[in-house]
Amino acid sequence: MFERADAKAQPNALILYQRTSSHADSDVLEEIQLLAESAGAVVVDTITAMRRAPDPATYIGKGKLQEIQQRVKAEAVDLVILNHSVSPIQERNLERELSCRVLDRTGLILDIFAQRATSHEGKLQVELAQLQHLSTRLVRGWTHLERQKGGIGLRGPGETQLETDRRLIGHRIKNLNKRLDTVSAQRNLRRKSRAKVPVPTVSLVGYTNAGKSSLFNRITDAKVFAQDQLFATLDTTMRRIELDEFGAAILSDTVGFIRDLPHSLVQAFHSTLEEVSNAQVLLHVVDVASSYREDCITEVNKVLQEIEAADIPAIMVFNKIDLIDTDAKSKRNAKGHIDRVWLSAHSGAGVDYLLQAIAERLSLLHTRCVVDLPASNGKLRASLYERSLVKQEEIADDGSFHLELELSSADFGWLQKQSNVLAIEQM
């Protein structure tokens, strides 16, 4: 095994994409280049290869291996990135033959997450995913793990010194799981507290870099970090919003998804993704200017299926219409509900259509009823207005109140328990 030098802040990277058919996936190549650049690498070139089955020893064939060896020397390459998941043996053999660091797709995504995590929970989740990935890399000859010094693929659990074996890694993973269980319990307490004052949650989901955080900032006037790069957001952020014709709701911004998202990341971020699976409505944000947006939609739906959120009502939000010169608009489905909105989070065009769609969709989850209150029950009438439940009101000649309400099941239960109500009738 070669001796690694100190990792450069911006290493020269060579990308290898090996496909199994003659069909070239330009979108896959574009994505791995963006991932590498997001990690801080300088991509010097991309090499493609076609092989029906990976080589069991080095993943690539001997001819292609020799070509890469020459390019590594000629271009002073520090890092070879493979747009695939490779076995520990294949990664070790490639490093030995190329005399430089080799990183597969999973390791690259983990490194980006390690750079972007800012919250305590996010850092714990990333470290757990990294250690789970690292535990599969403990094969004989893997001695360079004793001197990890940072850089792409090497951040996270031990940037300065790592003396790892299966016992130590297992102990650390167990400790991280306990700490994450504590954080998850705290999150559940907060969720239960929100449930006592029932305010529905709307979660933004979508492929990474679709513009979720920009849209979140546009709607809430928040200052969440938003950048034209992959995985700009890792930590869930929530803000209260007021919707016309409905009332209060919670808007949640979440981590973006990506094709072949490592399962370890889905597991590590389980508590964060619970905010998605507990939402009442999902806003599936799509980069309408992307040439492979349909593939992105498919990949997001796969992750939603995995976290058991596929059955939650969703509104498709086609963002970045300013890049393709398309008008802002909305479309209704066969049931008359708005299920598609075209907008620009950058300019704000079409956001009003989205807010209308959210209000309408949340209203479907509510109960509509009429209630008659005596003139003496002005206190309850005031409470109904404070909760933004009153849609229409008529005052009879005797001073009694005839109110049309729209309220959640919890509020409806609360109303039924109130005394001095003349009548309640569901619509």
Side-chain angles (χ1 to χ4, degrees), residues 101-146:
R101 285 184 296 140
V102 174
L103 197 61
D104 68 356
R105 179 186 176 85
T106 300
L108 181 61
I109 293 175
L110 286 171
D111 182 83
I112 295 173
F113 273 51
Q115 294 182 53
R116 304 282 161 74
T118 56
S119 70
H120 173 65
E121 182 181 11
K123 291 177 180 178
L124 290 177
Q125 290 168 328
V126 171
E127 184 177 353
L128 175 61
Q130 285 188 306
L131 285 174
Q132 289 172 335
H133 180 66
L134 181 63
S135 65
T136 67
R137 295 334 205 189
L138 293 178
V139 296
R140 64 182 181 275
W142 204 245
T143 56
H144 65 272
L145 285 177
E146 296 170 0

mmCIF file of all heavy atoms in Angstrom, residues 101-146:
data_model
loop_
_atom_site.group_PDB
_atom_site.id
_atom_site.type_symbol
_atom_site.label_atom_id
_atom_site.label_comp_id
_atom_site.label_asym_id
_atom_site.label_seq_id
_atom_site.Cartn_x
_atom_site.Cartn_y
_atom_site.Cartn_z
ATOM 1 N N ARG A 101 -5.413 8.408 -4.256
ATOM 2 C CA ARG A 101 -6.653 8.073 -3.579
ATOM 3 C C ARG A 101 -7.739 7.732 -4.587
ATOM 4 O O ARG A 101 -7.828 8.329 -5.664
ATOM 5 C CB ARG A 101 -7.112 9.238 -2.696
ATOM 6 C CG ARG A 101 -6.310 9.367 -1.419
ATOM 7 C CD ARG A 101 -6.866 10.463 -0.539
ATOM 8 N NE ARG A 101 -6.743 11.767 -1.166
ATOM 9 C CZ ARG A 101 -7.662 12.720 -1.130
ATOM 10 N NH1 ARG A 101 -8.794 12.497 -0.517
ATOM 11 N NH2 ARG A 101 -7.449 13.882 -1.706
ATOM 12 N N VAL A 102 -8.590 6.771 -4.216
ATOM 13 C CA VAL A 102 -9.733 6.358 -5.033
ATOM 14 C C VAL A 102 -10.979 6.469 -4.177
ATOM 15 O O VAL A 102 -10.990 6.042 -3.013
ATOM 16 C CB VAL A 102 -9.556 4.916 -5.549
ATOM 17 C CG1 VAL A 102 -10.822 4.449 -6.266
ATOM 18 C CG2 VAL A 102 -8.356 4.826 -6.486
ATOM 19 N N LEU A 103 -12.006 7.056 -4.745
ATOM 20 C CA LEU A 103 -13.239 7.291 -3.998
ATOM 21 C C LEU A 103 -14.421 6.878 -4.862
ATOM 22 O O LEU A 103 -14.512 7.261 -6.036
ATOM 23 C CB LEU A 103 -13.347 8.780 -3.635
ATOM 24 C CG LEU A 103 -14.317 9.196 -2.530
ATOM 25 C CD1 LEU A 103 -13.941 8.541 -1.212
ATOM 26 C CD2 LEU A 103 -14.325 10.707 -2.383
ATOM 27 N N ASP A 104 -15.329 6.082 -4.297
ATOM 28 C CA ASP A 104 -16.521 5.717 -5.061
ATOM 29 C C ASP A 104 -17.638 6.710 -4.782
ATOM 30 O O ASP A 104 -17.487 7.655 -4.001
ATOM 31 C CB ASP A 104 -16.943 4.278 -4.772
ATOM 32 C CG ASP A 104 -17.457 4.076 -3.347
ATOM 33 O OD1 ASP A 104 -17.420 5.042 -2.562
ATOM 34 O OD2 ASP A 104 -17.881 2.954 -3.027
ATOM 35 N N ARG A 105 -18.775 6.489 -5.419
ATOM 36 C CA ARG A 105 -19.892 7.445 -5.341
ATOM 37 C C ARG A 105 -20.390 7.608 -3.908
ATOM 38 O O ARG A 105 -20.639 8.729 -3.453
ATOM 39 C CB ARG A 105 -21.021 6.956 -6.255
ATOM 40 C CG ARG A 105 -22.261 7.838 -6.245
ATOM 41 C CD ARG A 105 -23.366 7.195 -7.066
ATOM 42 N NE ARG A 105 -24.589 7.962 -6.987
ATOM 43 C CZ ARG A 105 -24.898 8.997 -7.745
ATOM 44 N NH1 ARG A 105 -24.042 9.403 -8.660
ATOM 45 N NH2 ARG A 105 -26.044 9.637 -7.616
ATOM 46 N N THR A 106 -20.513 6.495 -3.188
ATOM 47 C CA THR A 106 -20.998 6.567 -1.809
ATOM 48 C C THR A 106 -20.064 7.391 -0.937
ATOM 49 O O THR A 106 -20.497 8.248 -0.167
ATOM 50 C CB THR A 106 -21.160 5.153 -1.226
ATOM 51 O OG1 THR A 106 -22.104 4.426 -2.018
ATOM 52 C CG2 THR A 106 -21.638 5.214 0.207
ATOM 53 N N GLY A 107 -18.766 7.128 -1.059
ATOM 54 C CA GLY A 107 -17.793 7.880 -0.272
ATOM 55 C C GLY A 107 -17.811 9.362 -0.595
ATOM 56 O O GLY A 107 -17.640 10.210 0.290
ATOM 57 N N LEU A 108 -18.040 9.697 -1.870
ATOM 58 C CA LEU A 108 -18.092 11.100 -2.277
ATOM 59 C C LEU A 108 -19.294 11.808 -1.659
ATOM 60 O O LEU A 108 -19.178 12.928 -1.133
ATOM 61 C CB LEU A 108 -18.146 11.191 -3.801
ATOM 62 C CG LEU A 108 -18.172 12.588 -4.414
ATOM 63 C CD1 LEU A 108 -16.924 13.372 -4.046
ATOM 64 C CD2 LEU A 108 -18.329 12.512 -5.934
ATOM 65 N N ILE A 109 -20.453 11.164 -1.706
ATOM 66 C CA ILE A 109 -21.656 11.768 -1.126
ATOM 67 C C ILE A 109 -21.495 11.932 0.385
ATOM 68 O O ILE A 109 -21.873 12.961 0.961
ATOM 69 C CB ILE A 109 -22.896 10.914 -1.461
ATOM 70 C CG1 ILE A 109 -23.177 10.960 -2.965
ATOM 71 C CG2 ILE A 109 -24.113 11.406 -0.688
ATOM 72 C CD1 ILE A 109 -24.311 10.057 -3.409
ATOM 73 N N LEU A 110 -20.904 10.933 1.027
ATOM 74 C CA LEU A 110 -20.667 11.032 2.464
ATOM 75 C C LEU A 110 -19.747 12.203 2.803
ATOM 76 O O LEU A 110 -19.941 12.895 3.805
ATOM 77 C CB LEU A 110 -20.061 9.727 2.984
ATOM 78 C CG LEU A 110 -21.016 8.534 3.105
ATOM 79 C CD1 LEU A 110 -20.228 7.268 3.408
ATOM 80 C CD2 LEU A 110 -22.057 8.785 4.178
ATOM 81 N N ASP A 111 -18.745 12.434 1.955
ATOM 82 C CA ASP A 111 -17.835 13.548 2.205
ATOM 83 C C ASP A 111 -18.550 14.896 2.088
ATOM 84 O O ASP A 111 -18.328 15.800 2.896
ATOM 85 C CB ASP A 111 -16.672 13.514 1.211
ATOM 86 C CG ASP A 111 -15.688 14.639 1.467
ATOM 87 O OD1 ASP A 111 -14.833 14.477 2.345
ATOM 88 O OD2 ASP A 111 -15.802 15.695 0.803
ATOM 89 N N ILE A 112 -19.420 15.021 1.091
ATOM 90 C CA ILE A 112 -20.181 16.271 0.935
ATOM 91 C C ILE A 112 -21.059 16.496 2.168
ATOM 92 O O ILE A 112 -21.146 17.605 2.699
ATOM 93 C CB ILE A 112 -21.031 16.225 -0.344
ATOM 94 C CG1 ILE A 112 -20.128 16.157 -1.581
ATOM 95 C CG2 ILE A 112 -21.939 17.449 -0.430
ATOM 96 C CD1 ILE A 112 -20.879 15.939 -2.871
ATOM 97 N N PHE A 113 -21.691 15.430 2.650
ATOM 98 C CA PHE A 113 -22.514 15.552 3.842
ATOM 99 C C PHE A 113 -21.675 15.973 5.034
ATOM 100 O O PHE A 113 -22.118 16.761 5.875
ATOM 101 C CB PHE A 113 -23.223 14.223 4.130
ATOM 102 C CG PHE A 113 -24.540 14.066 3.415
ATOM 103 C CD1 PHE A 113 -24.640 14.278 2.053
ATOM 104 C CD2 PHE A 113 -25.683 13.718 4.107
ATOM 105 C CE1 PHE A 113 -25.841 14.149 1.384
ATOM 106 C CE2 PHE A 113 -26.898 13.582 3.466
ATOM 107 C CZ PHE A 113 -26.981 13.792 2.099
ATOM 108 N N ALA A 114 -20.448 15.436 5.133
ATOM 109 C CA ALA A 114 -19.575 15.803 6.248
ATOM 110 C C ALA A 114 -19.224 17.284 6.212
ATOM 111 O O ALA A 114 -19.089 17.930 7.255
ATOM 112 C CB ALA A 114 -18.302 14.957 6.204
ATOM 113 N N GLN A 115 -19.084 17.846 5.008
ATOM 114 C CA GLN A 115 -18.761 19.273 4.881
ATOM 115 C C GLN A 115 -19.958 20.154 5.222
ATOM 116 O O GLN A 115 -19.790 21.249 5.770
ATOM 117 C CB GLN A 115 -18.320 19.572 3.446
ATOM 118 C CG GLN A 115 -17.022 18.920 3.017
ATOM 119 C CD GLN A 115 -16.662 19.331 1.602
ATOM 120 O OE1 GLN A 115 -16.599 20.510 1.272
ATOM 121 N NE2 GLN A 115 -16.415 18.350 0.759
ATOM 122 N N ARG A 116 -21.174 19.700 4.899
ATOM 123 C CA ARG A 116 -22.351 20.568 4.982
ATOM 124 C C ARG A 116 -23.090 20.487 6.309
ATOM 125 O O ARG A 116 -23.888 21.368 6.622
ATOM 126 C CB ARG A 116 -23.330 20.224 3.845
ATOM 127 C CG ARG A 116 -22.702 20.301 2.473
ATOM 128 C CD ARG A 116 -22.572 21.743 1.996
ATOM 129 N NE ARG A 116 -21.602 21.837 0.925
ATOM 130 C CZ ARG A 116 -21.789 21.438 -0.316
ATOM 131 N NH1 ARG A 116 -22.939 20.919 -0.652
ATOM 132 N NH2 ARG A 116 -20.836 21.576 -1.214
ATOM 133 N N ALA A 117 -22.914 19.401 7.070
ATOM 134 C CA ALA A 117 -23.659 19.261 8.327
ATOM 135 C C ALA A 117 -23.257 20.369 9.300
ATOM 136 O O ALA A 117 -22.075 20.591 9.546
ATOM 137 C CB ALA A 117 -23.398 17.891 8.946
ATOM 138 N N THR A 118 -24.227 21.056 9.848
ATOM 139 C CA THR A 118 -23.949 22.158 10.772
ATOM 140 C C THR A 118 -24.575 21.936 12.148
ATOM 141 O O THR A 118 -24.010 22.337 13.156
ATOM 142 C CB THR A 118 -24.462 23.494 10.197
ATOM 143 O OG1 THR A 118 -25.863 23.376 9.905
ATOM 144 C CG2 THR A 118 -23.709 23.860 8.926
ATOM 145 N N SER A 119 -25.731 21.309 12.201
ATOM 146 C CA SER A 119 -26.390 21.101 13.490
ATOM 147 C C SER A 119 -25.765 19.913 14.217
ATOM 148 O O SER A 119 -25.085 19.073 13.616
ATOM 149 C CB SER A 119 -27.891 20.844 13.297
ATOM 150 O OG SER A 119 -28.102 19.576 12.702
ATOM 151 N N HIS A 120 -26.023 19.850 15.518
ATOM 152 C CA HIS A 120 -25.512 18.734 16.323
ATOM 153 C C HIS A 120 -26.051 17.408 15.797
ATOM 154 O O HIS A 120 -25.296 16.439 15.617
ATOM 155 C CB HIS A 120 -25.928 18.934 17.781
ATOM 156 C CG HIS A 120 -25.608 17.782 18.674
ATOM 157 N ND1 HIS A 120 -24.308 17.378 18.947
ATOM 158 C CD2 HIS A 120 -26.422 16.916 19.352
ATOM 159 C CE1 HIS A 120 -24.326 16.332 19.743
ATOM 160 N NE2 HIS A 120 -25.594 16.036 20.010
ATOM 161 N N GLU A 121 -27.356 17.372 15.519
ATOM 162 C CA GLU A 121 -27.955 16.139 15.026
ATOM 163 C C GLU A 121 -27.403 15.768 13.654
ATOM 164 O O GLU A 121 -27.105 14.600 13.392
ATOM 165 C CB GLU A 121 -29.482 16.286 14.949
ATOM 166 C CG GLU A 121 -30.176 15.022 14.482
ATOM 167 C CD GLU A 121 -31.684 15.184 14.393
ATOM 168 O OE1 GLU A 121 -32.162 16.328 14.486
ATOM 169 O OE2 GLU A 121 -32.385 14.168 14.239
ATOM 170 N N GLY A 122 -27.255 16.756 12.786
ATOM 171 C CA GLY A 122 -26.728 16.487 11.451
ATOM 172 C C GLY A 122 -25.336 15.892 11.493
ATOM 173 O O GLY A 122 -25.008 14.957 10.747
ATOM 174 N N LYS A 123 -24.490 16.423 12.378
ATOM 175 C CA LYS A 123 -23.122 15.905 12.494
ATOM 176 C C LYS A 123 -23.118 14.473 13.017
ATOM 177 O O LYS A 123 -22.327 13.641 12.564
ATOM 178 C CB LYS A 123 -22.301 16.814 13.411
ATOM 179 C CG LYS A 123 -22.011 18.179 12.801
ATOM 180 C CD LYS A 123 -21.263 19.082 13.774
ATOM 181 C CE LYS A 123 -20.992 20.447 13.145
ATOM 182 N NZ LYS A 123 -20.299 21.355 14.089
ATOM 183 N N LEU A 124 -23.998 14.178 13.977
ATOM 184 C CA LEU A 124 -24.098 12.814 14.482
ATOM 185 C C LEU A 124 -24.550 11.862 13.385
ATOM 186 O O LEU A 124 -24.019 10.747 13.244
ATOM 187 C CB LEU A 124 -25.084 12.761 15.655
ATOM 188 C CG LEU A 124 -24.670 13.431 16.969
ATOM 189 C CD1 LEU A 124 -25.804 13.322 17.982
ATOM 190 C CD2 LEU A 124 -23.398 12.812 17.525
ATOM 191 N N GLN A 125 -25.520 12.291 12.596
ATOM 192 C CA GLN A 125 -26.051 11.435 11.539
ATOM 193 C C GLN A 125 -24.995 11.147 10.475
ATOM 194 O O GLN A 125 -24.864 10.010 10.003
ATOM 195 C CB GLN A 125 -27.280 12.110 10.903
ATOM 196 C CG GLN A 125 -28.482 12.139 11.824
ATOM 197 C CD GLN A 125 -29.583 13.051 11.322
ATOM 198 O OE1 GLN A 125 -29.310 14.071 10.679
ATOM 199 N NE2 GLN A 125 -30.813 12.711 11.604
ATOM 200 N N VAL A 126 -24.242 12.174 10.100
ATOM 201 C CA VAL A 126 -23.206 11.986 9.091
ATOM 202 C C VAL A 126 -22.097 11.081 9.618
ATOM 203 O O VAL A 126 -21.621 10.177 8.906
ATOM 204 C CB VAL A 126 -22.619 13.350 8.650
ATOM 205 C CG1 VAL A 126 -21.396 13.142 7.762
ATOM 206 C CG2 VAL A 126 -23.670 14.148 7.895
ATOM 207 N N GLU A 127 -21.690 11.289 10.858
ATOM 208 C CA GLU A 127 -20.630 10.454 11.415
ATOM 209 C C GLU A 127 -21.066 8.994 11.476
ATOM 210 O O GLU A 127 -20.283 8.086 11.190
ATOM 211 C CB GLU A 127 -20.230 10.944 12.805
ATOM 212 C CG GLU A 127 -19.063 10.153 13.384
ATOM 213 C CD GLU A 127 -18.599 10.668 14.733
ATOM 214 O OE1 GLU A 127 -19.102 11.728 15.165
ATOM 215 O OE2 GLU A 127 -17.741 10.015 15.344
ATOM 216 N N LEU A 128 -22.319 8.763 11.844
ATOM 217 C CA LEU A 128 -22.830 7.397 11.897
ATOM 218 C C LEU A 128 -22.776 6.753 10.517
ATOM 219 O O LEU A 128 -22.316 5.608 10.368
ATOM 220 C CB LEU A 128 -24.268 7.398 12.422
ATOM 221 C CG LEU A 128 -24.984 6.042 12.425
ATOM 222 C CD1 LEU A 128 -24.241 5.058 13.314
ATOM 223 C CD2 LEU A 128 -26.430 6.201 12.870
ATOM 224 N N ALA A 129 -23.232 7.478 9.486
ATOM 225 C CA ALA A 129 -23.212 6.931 8.125
ATOM 226 C C ALA A 129 -21.780 6.664 7.661
ATOM 227 O O ALA A 129 -21.505 5.659 7.000
ATOM 228 C CB ALA A 129 -23.908 7.900 7.172
ATOM 229 N N GLN A 130 -20.857 7.562 8.004
ATOM 230 C CA GLN A 130 -19.464 7.374 7.607
ATOM 231 C C GLN A 130 -18.846 6.158 8.274
ATOM 232 O O GLN A 130 -18.115 5.386 7.630
ATOM 233 C CB GLN A 130 -18.649 8.627 7.941
ATOM 234 C CG GLN A 130 -18.900 9.785 6.991
ATOM 235 C CD GLN A 130 -17.929 10.916 7.253
ATOM 236 O OE1 GLN A 130 -17.815 11.385 8.368
ATOM 237 N NE2 GLN A 130 -17.243 11.361 6.219
ATOM 238 N N LEU A 131 -19.114 5.980 9.554
ATOM 239 C CA LEU A 131 -18.545 4.846 10.263
ATOM 240 C C LEU A 131 -19.128 3.525 9.768
ATOM 241 O O LEU A 131 -18.420 2.517 9.672
ATOM 242 C CB LEU A 131 -18.770 4.985 11.764
ATOM 243 C CG LEU A 131 -17.886 6.016 12.470
ATOM 244 C CD1 LEU A 131 -18.299 6.179 13.911
ATOM 245 C CD2 LEU A 131 -16.420 5.622 12.385
ATOM 246 N N GLN A 132 -20.421 3.532 9.437
ATOM 247 C CA GLN A 132 -21.025 2.325 8.883
ATOM 248 C C GLN A 132 -20.389 1.986 7.538
ATOM 249 O O GLN A 132 -20.160 0.815 7.230
ATOM 250 C CB GLN A 132 -22.539 2.527 8.725
ATOM 251 C CG GLN A 132 -23.283 2.565 10.056
ATOM 252 C CD GLN A 132 -24.729 2.963 9.908
ATOM 253 O OE1 GLN A 132 -25.126 3.641 8.947
ATOM 254 N NE2 GLN A 132 -25.551 2.560 10.867
ATOM 255 N N HIS A 133 -20.096 3.015 6.748
ATOM 256 C CA HIS A 133 -19.422 2.798 5.465
ATOM 257 C C HIS A 133 -17.980 2.358 5.694
ATOM 258 O O HIS A 133 -17.474 1.448 5.018
ATOM 259 C CB HIS A 133 -19.463 4.091 4.646
ATOM 260 C CG HIS A 133 -18.808 3.982 3.303
ATOM 261 N ND1 HIS A 133 -19.293 3.191 2.291
ATOM 262 C CD2 HIS A 133 -17.686 4.572 2.808
ATOM 263 C CE1 HIS A 133 -18.513 3.291 1.233
ATOM 264 N NE2 HIS A 133 -17.534 4.116 1.517
ATOM 265 N N LEU A 134 -17.317 2.986 6.657
ATOM 266 C CA LEU A 134 -15.927 2.668 6.930
ATOM 267 C C LEU A 134 -15.758 1.243 7.442
ATOM 268 O O LEU A 134 -14.760 0.575 7.152
ATOM 269 C CB LEU A 134 -15.369 3.654 7.967
ATOM 270 C CG LEU A 134 -13.903 3.500 8.372
ATOM 271 C CD1 LEU A 134 -12.992 3.730 7.182
ATOM 272 C CD2 LEU A 134 -13.568 4.458 9.499
ATOM 273 N N SER A 135 -16.745 0.749 8.199
ATOM 274 C CA SER A 135 -16.637 -0.593 8.757
ATOM 275 C C SER A 135 -16.564 -1.657 7.676
ATOM 276 O O SER A 135 -16.017 -2.740 7.898
ATOM 277 C CB SER A 135 -17.835 -0.874 9.679
ATOM 278 O OG SER A 135 -19.045 -0.896 8.946
ATOM 279 N N THR A 136 -17.103 -1.360 6.495
ATOM 280 C CA THR A 136 -17.014 -2.311 5.386
ATOM 281 C C THR A 136 -15.666 -2.235 4.687
ATOM 282 O O THR A 136 -15.361 -3.075 3.840
ATOM 283 C CB THR A 136 -18.115 -2.033 4.348
ATOM 284 O OG1 THR A 136 -17.874 -0.767 3.704
ATOM 285 C CG2 THR A 136 -19.490 -2.002 5.000
ATOM 286 N N ARG A 137 -14.863 -1.221 5.002
ATOM 287 C CA ARG A 137 -13.575 -1.026 4.345
ATOM 288 C C ARG A 137 -12.426 -1.617 5.144
ATOM 289 O O ARG A 137 -11.269 -1.447 4.793
ATOM 290 C CB ARG A 137 -13.280 0.466 4.150
ATOM 291 C CG ARG A 137 -14.188 1.262 3.217
ATOM 292 C CD ARG A 137 -14.838 0.470 2.190
ATOM 293 N NE ARG A 137 -15.207 1.238 1.014
ATOM 294 C CZ ARG A 137 -15.964 0.741 0.031
ATOM 295 N NH1 ARG A 137 -16.396 -0.481 0.101
ATOM 296 N NH2 ARG A 137 -16.261 1.457 -1.012
ATOM 297 N N LEU A 138 -12.727 -2.284 6.252
ATOM 298 C CA LEU A 138 -11.667 -2.843 7.083
ATOM 299 C C LEU A 138 -11.242 -4.202 6.537
ATOM 300 O O LEU A 138 -11.681 -5.249 6.979
ATOM 301 C CB LEU A 138 -12.144 -2.986 8.522
ATOM 302 C CG LEU A 138 -12.402 -1.670 9.264
ATOM 303 C CD1 LEU A 138 -12.909 -1.953 10.652
ATOM 304 C CD2 LEU A 138 -11.149 -0.828 9.309
ATOM 305 N N VAL A 139 -10.363 -4.158 5.533
ATOM 306 C CA VAL A 139 -9.796 -5.380 4.980
ATOM 307 C C VAL A 139 -8.303 -5.347 5.210
ATOM 308 O O VAL A 139 -7.713 -4.300 5.454
ATOM 309 C CB VAL A 139 -10.098 -5.496 3.468
ATOM 310 C CG1 VAL A 139 -11.586 -5.616 3.250
ATOM 311 C CG2 VAL A 139 -9.545 -4.305 2.704
ATOM 312 N N ARG A 140 -7.646 -6.495 5.144
ATOM 313 C CA ARG A 140 -6.216 -6.533 5.419
ATOM 314 C C ARG A 140 -5.470 -5.675 4.402
ATOM 315 O O ARG A 140 -5.811 -5.619 3.227
ATOM 316 C CB ARG A 140 -5.695 -7.965 5.393
ATOM 317 C CG ARG A 140 -5.785 -8.651 4.055
ATOM 318 C CD ARG A 140 -5.288 -10.088 4.187
ATOM 319 N NE ARG A 140 -5.347 -10.771 2.905
ATOM 320 C CZ ARG A 140 -6.418 -11.379 2.431
ATOM 321 N NH1 ARG A 140 -7.532 -11.360 3.142
ATOM 322 N NH2 ARG A 140 -6.401 -11.969 1.266
ATOM 323 N N GLY A 141 -4.445 -5.016 4.896
ATOM 324 C CA GLY A 141 -3.698 -4.116 4.024
ATOM 325 C C GLY A 141 -4.228 -2.704 4.045
ATOM 326 O O GLY A 141 -3.667 -1.831 3.413
ATOM 327 N N TRP A 142 -5.308 -2.488 4.789
ATOM 328 C CA TRP A 142 -5.936 -1.151 4.784
ATOM 329 C C TRP A 142 -5.260 -0.284 5.843
ATOM 330 O O TRP A 142 -5.886 0.335 6.677
ATOM 331 C CB TRP A 142 -7.420 -1.314 5.074
ATOM 332 C CG TRP A 142 -8.261 -0.201 4.551
ATOM 333 C CD1 TRP A 142 -8.993 0.686 5.274
ATOM 334 C CD2 TRP A 142 -8.479 0.142 3.187
ATOM 335 N NE1 TRP A 142 -9.640 1.563 4.458
ATOM 336 C CE2 TRP A 142 -9.342 1.249 3.167
ATOM 337 C CE3 TRP A 142 -8.017 -0.350 1.971
ATOM 338 C CZ2 TRP A 142 -9.755 1.862 1.999
ATOM 339 C CZ3 TRP A 142 -8.429 0.250 0.809
ATOM 340 C CH2 TRP A 142 -9.290 1.334 0.829
ATOM 341 N N THR A 143 -3.931 -0.271 5.853
ATOM 342 C CA THR A 143 -3.175 0.346 6.935
ATOM 343 C C THR A 143 -3.191 1.852 6.884
ATOM 344 O O THR A 143 -2.880 2.497 7.882
ATOM 345 C CB THR A 143 -1.711 -0.125 6.868
ATOM 346 O OG1 THR A 143 -1.177 0.175 5.571
ATOM 347 C CG2 THR A 143 -1.630 -1.620 7.110
ATOM 348 N N HIS A 144 -3.514 2.448 5.738
ATOM 349 C CA HIS A 144 -3.453 3.907 5.660
ATOM 350 C C HIS A 144 -4.544 4.572 6.481
ATOM 351 O O HIS A 144 -4.515 5.773 6.695
ATOM 352 C CB HIS A 144 -3.569 4.374 4.206
ATOM 353 C CG HIS A 144 -4.897 4.068 3.584
ATOM 354 N ND1 HIS A 144 -5.160 2.878 2.957
ATOM 355 C CD2 HIS A 144 -6.029 4.787 3.516
ATOM 356 C CE1 HIS A 144 -6.400 2.877 2.502
ATOM 357 N NE2 HIS A 144 -6.950 4.018 2.846
ATOM 358 N N LEU A 145 -5.510 3.797 6.999
ATOM 359 C CA LEU A 145 -6.548 4.390 7.854
ATOM 360 C C LEU A 145 -5.958 4.925 9.150
ATOM 361 O O LEU A 145 -6.584 5.694 9.851
ATOM 362 C CB LEU A 145 -7.624 3.350 8.175
ATOM 363 C CG LEU A 145 -8.590 3.030 7.037
ATOM 364 C CD1 LEU A 145 -9.541 1.943 7.465
ATOM 365 C CD2 LEU A 145 -9.345 4.264 6.604
ATOM 366 N N GLU A 146 -4.733 4.501 9.477
ATOM 367 C CA GLU A 146 -4.109 4.984 10.699
ATOM 368 C C GLU A 146 -3.644 6.431 10.555
ATOM 369 O O GLU A 146 -3.276 7.064 11.515
ATOM 370 C CB GLU A 146 -2.911 4.097 11.046
ATOM 371 C CG GLU A 146 -3.319 2.655 11.356
ATOM 372 C CD GLU A 146 -2.117 1.758 11.455
ATOM 373 O OE1 GLU A 146 -0.996 2.247 11.289
ATOM 374 O OE2 GLU A 146 -2.296 0.555 11.695
#
